[in-house]
Amino acid sequence: MGKLVVLTLLGASLALIGERLLTLRERLSSTREIKSTEPQHCHLIEGLENGSEDIDILPSGLAFISTGLKYPGMPNFAPDKPGRIFLMDLNEQNPKAQVLKISNGFDKEPLNPHGISTFIDKDNTVYLYVVNHPHMDSTVEIFRFEEQQRSLIHLKTITHELLKSVNDIVVVGPEQFYATRDHYFTSYFLILLEMFMDFQWTYVLFYSPREVKVVAQGFSSANGITVSLDQKYVYVADVMAKNIHVLKKHDNWNLTQEKVIQLGTLVDNLTVDPATGDILAGCHPNPSKLLVYNPEDPPGSEVLRIQDALSDKPRVSTLYTNNGSVLQGSSVASVYHGKMLIGTVFHKALYCEL
């Protein structure tokens, strides 16, 4: 009887491991053929050489870009350089990226910026919220943007026990934001185990000075997050599940799931087209090449547009694909008046005219 129990448990364990291996292999498959789909007028942005992980564009056309992310398991071409925040004015005929000065005593050496989000107050003051990973921890830094001086004034550092492994953020009010947790564990070995077992323990949290709470959970790896133009819905990318969750926002800040949009590619950061309300998704079409980086066979890039996200049949179209010969590891795309910026986890950034 004892041997039978042991054999049964062993068989079940092997079956589970086999199923997990097949699932992980399918999720990280790099066998997909990447056919280039590129607008005619695109060029790499000078000065952005070490990633451009997230991009947020103001209604005025000023674009903030986070660079220099150091993320466990991802390539990094400048491991000894601190991260930086760049600015581009998309109203210019030939916009260029310039680094923003950070003042008010902020320690710039451990700056490791990840997701970013802007907020414009009633008096038109612009605030930039930055997910930061100093010494591989997670904080949210709040800056005030000084447009004339092209600088950021550091105002506050937010920490909380729920703000762990934070990936992205979307600000919905003064010191009020939703943030995604992309891994439950923080050690690299346990993160790999989490990916293998697909525990689905990651979540979206809501933060305010009065209340911090988990408002949506059960994601394989909650990643990019943004809100609809009317502020009624929150869009969350589950990168490992290759989908986007459409969540309804309630008056108490809780979120309930409306639908899930399957995309068949690993979905990173999300933005919303301010002219149409369409979702733009930066994606990883061959993710295993991100984890095992080979400059001779680099990871490709992909940008998708999702139209009519709330309808029964959302329409998905491709705005950009490249096999890595131009752009590697796309993480975000954002548009403004017929111009598109595409950022990457660790590589360069692209400017396109649509």
Side-chain angles (χ1 to χ4, degrees):
M1 185 66 181
K3 290 182 179 179
L4 180 60
V5 171
V6 170
L7 289 173
T8 301
L9 291 175
L10 179 60
S13 299
L14 290 174
L16 175 62
I17 291 172
E19 187 271 335
R20 291 291 90 202
L21 280 171
L22 289 174
T23 300
L24 187 62
R25 181 181 178 183
E26 186 275 330
R27 288 182 170 184
L28 299 181
S29 174
S30 62
T31 59
R32 176 181 164 191
E33 182 181 356
I34 308 300
K35 297 182 180 179
S36 291
T37 303
E38 304 176 23
Q40 289 185 347
H41 304 289
C42 290
H43 66 263
L44 294 172
I45 302 170
E46 184 178 353
L48 299 180
E49 308 290 337
N50 303 312
S52 41
E53 205 281 336
D54 204 7
I55 299 170
D56 200 345
I57 304 177
L58 295 175
S60 65
L62 294 178
F64 295 92
I65 306 169
S66 66
T67 71
L69 173 66
K70 301 169 186 65
Y71 191 84
M74 292 292 108
N76 189 284
F77 295 153
D80 297 326
K81 291 185 178 180
R84 295 186 292 180
I85 305 295
F86 280 78
L87 185 76
M88 290 184 70
D89 187 348
L90 298 182
N91 298 294
E92 296 177 356
Q93 186 172 357
N94 297 299
K96 299 183 182 301
Q98 64 176 113
V99 65
L100 289 174
K101 298 178 181 179
I102 300 178
S103 57
N104 210 22
F106 181 75
D107 186 1
K108 295 180 284 293
E109 283 303 311
L111 179 60
N112 188 12
H114 204 160
I116 60 176
S117 181
T118 55
F119 176 73
I120 304 174
D121 215 338
K122 293 180 180 180
D123 62 0
N124 290 322
T125 301
V126 175
Y127 298 91
L128 179 68
Y129 288 61
V130 179
V131 175
N132 187 24
H133 301 296
H135 313 294
M136 295 303 169
D137 202 351
S138 287
T139 65
V140 173
E141 311 292 346
I142 304 179
F143 300 93
R144 184 177 70 247
F145 173 55
E146 298 291 336
E147 184 173 351
Q148 297 301 319
Q149 291 77 26
R150 290 295 198 262
S151 67
L152 296 171
I153 308 298
H154 185 251
L155 302 178
K156 188 174 184 178
T157 298
I158 296 177
T159 60
H160 191 274
E161 60 182 7
L162 290 178
L163 285 169
K164 303 295 183 184
S165 293
V166 182
N167 186 295
D168 199 12
I169 183 174
V170 61
V171 184
V172 291
E175 288 193 43
Q176 296 174 321
F177 57 81
Y178 291 104
T180 56
R181 180 171 184 167
D182 59 9
H183 293 104
Y184 183 82
F185 296 109
T186 54
S187 78
Y188 186 56
F189 172 77
L190 291 177
I191 288 173
L192 292 177
L193 176 64
E194 182 180 348
M195 290 174 58
F196 177 74
M197 294 302 297
D198 191 22
F199 291 131
Q200 299 184 6
W201 289 349
T202 70
Y203 54 71
V204 177
L205 66 85
F206 171 75
Y207 176 93
S208 74
R210 294 184 178 182
E211 182 181 30
V212 184
K213 61 182 179 179
V214 174
V215 291
Q217 51 193 326
F219 302 92
S220 294
S221 182
N223 198 293
I225 187 169
T226 190
V227 294
S228 61
L229 292 182
D230 60 10
Q231 302 286 306
K232 293 181 179 180
Y233 297 91
V234 173
Y235 305 132
V236 179
D238 190 339
V239 60
M240 292 301 293
K242 300 183 178 181
N243 59 37
I244 296 174
H245 291 246
V246 178
L247 307 169
K248 187 175 182 179
K249 182 163 68 74
H250 299 278
D251 292 340
N252 61 359
W253 303 106
N254 286 341
L255 303 175
T256 54
Q257 184 164 289
E258 290 284 305
K259 64 186 304 180
V260 177
I261 304 172
Q262 297 293 339
L263 294 177
T265 186
L266 264 67
V267 192
D268 205 319
N269 288 325
L270 306 174
T271 64
V272 169
D273 186 332
T276 64
D278 298 342
I279 303 171
L280 272 65
C283 304
H284 303 290
N286 38 23
S288 64
K289 295 182 180 182
L290 278 173
L291 300 176
V292 184
Y293 181 71
N294 178 3
E296 301 300 320
D297 186 22
S301 293
E302 183 175 34
V303 174
L304 300 180
R305 178 189 290 273
I306 298 92
Q307 298 172 280
D308 303 321
L310 295 173
S311 70
D312 292 336
K313 294 183 178 181
R315 291 178 291 156
V316 180
S317 57
T318 301
L319 289 181
Y320 180 88
T321 52
N322 179 263
N323 63 5
S325 60
V326 176
L327 202 66
Q328 303 174 13
S330 55
S331 58
V332 65
S334 192
V335 293
Y336 172 80
H337 289 187
K339 302 172 182 179
M340 177 170 66
L341 299 179
I342 305 175
T344 65
V345 179
F346 63 89
H347 195 233
K348 302 179 181 182
L350 200 67
Y351 169 87
C352 296
E353 294 182 358
L354 301 175

